[in-house]
Amino acid sequence: MHFRSLLPLIFIVAAAVFCSDLPVSARSESLRSSSFSVALETLQKHLNYDFQHIGLLRRAMTHSSYSEENNKALSVLGESIIEASASLRFMTKDVDISSKDLNNRIAELSKVETSCAVDGMRLGLQNVVRVSSNTNSSTSSVVCGAFRAIFGAIALDTGKSDDAGDVFFVVHGGAGSAFSM
Ligand SMILES: *[C@@H]1O[C@H](CO)[C@@H](O)[C@H](O)[C@H]1NC(C)=O
C-alpha cells in the first residue's frame, strides 16, 4: 500500500519539523519558567505562607503587560483587604477614633510610594513579577500592584480575608516600618 510505505517518511518529516522548531524556544521558556518557580518558592518563604494553589501566586506575580491572565483584579481585592483589616485593627485599639483619623491612617497605609512600593521592594517583587520586555518592573505601580495582589491571592487561597490581613501585618510590620498602633 502507498500509505504504508509513506509512513516512515511522514515520521521523519514530522520529527524534523518538531526538532528544528522547538528546542531553542522551548529550552529558554522552560529555563525562564523554572527560575520563576524558584522565585515563587523563595517568595512563599519570605511571606511565611505556603499556597495550596500556587497558580494564584503565579497570577499575582504576573503584570497585565505580560499576560491576559494577570494580577489586576487580585490587586484590587488585596487593597480592599489591607484597608479592611487595618480599619479593624485601628478600631479594635480605639473604638472612638474619628472617621477623619481612621481615613488618614488608612490612606497612609495605602500610599503607593511610601508604603506598598517599599514593602514590595523589600520582598524583591521587582525581580519576581513577570512583565513584558518593554515594561520596567521596578516602578511603584508595578511593584504595588504585585504586592497588593499577594493578599488577594492569599484570601482566595484560604477563602478568608482575615488570613490575608494577618500575613500583610507580619510582612508590613516586619521591617519595623511606619505602621504604629
Ligand atoms: C525603572 O524604574 C525605576 C523606578 O522608577 C528607576 O529607578 C529605573 O531607572 C527604571 N529603569 C529603567 C531602565 O528605566
Side-chain angles (χ1 to χ4, degrees):
M1 299 288 283
H2 273 322
F3 182 68
R4 266 209 143 134
S5 61
L6 274 176
L7 266 182
L9 185 63
I10 291 170
F11 273 117
I12 290 165
V13 171
V17 168
F18 189 76
C19 292
S20 68
D21 219 26
L22 240 107
V24 175
S25 62
R27 223 181 295 135
S28 68
E29 177 54 41
S30 85
L31 252 181
R32 209 183 313 143
S33 71
S34 75
S35 73
F36 184 54
S37 300
V38 170
L40 296 184
E41 288 303 317
T42 308
L43 180 56
Q44 290 181 94
K45 291 201 181 83
H46 289 156
L47 294 170
N48 202 15
Y49 179 83
D50 277 321
F51 276 82
Q52 298 172 55
H53 308 286
I54 192 70
L56 289 167
L57 184 59
R58 190 172 276 274
R59 184 190 278 257
M61 291 301 113
T62 305
H63 186 249
S64 57
S65 65
Y66 186 90
S67 170
E68 279 185 21
E69 204 172 275
N70 60 59
N71 64 15
K72 276 170 100 169
L74 283 177
S75 175
V76 173
L77 174 59
E79 185 176 13
S80 305
I81 287 167
I82 290 170
E83 293 186 357
S85 47
S87 306
L88 180 59
R89 287 203 173 204
F90 291 137
M91 289 203 69
T92 302
K93 270 258 157 189
D94 177 12
V95 74
D96 293 321
I97 190 171
S98 72
S99 62
K100 184 162 170 281
D101 280 353
L102 185 58
N103 274 322
N104 286 343
R105 301 195 72 172
I106 292 167
E108 197 57 42
L109 204 56
S110 298
K111 260 191 201 151
V112 168
E113 281 77 16
T114 55
S115 188
C116 76
V118 173
D119 288 338
M121 286 279 184
R122 198 172 54 238
L123 283 170
L125 300 186
Q126 69 279 14
N127 301 320
V128 181
V129 65
R130 300 188 295 183
V131 296
S132 72
S133 56
N134 55 5
T135 302
N136 183 345
S137 66
S138 298
T139 58
S140 298
S141 77
V142 172
V143 174
C144 265
F147 179 73
R148 289 170 173 158
I150 288 174
F151 307 102
I154 293 173
L156 279 178
D157 197 46
T158 67
K160 297 197 191 85
S161 55
D162 284 355
D163 293 340
D166 289 347
V167 176
F168 168 75
F169 281 106
V170 172
V171 170
H172 184 69
S177 60
F179 187 70
S180 51
M181 298 197 12

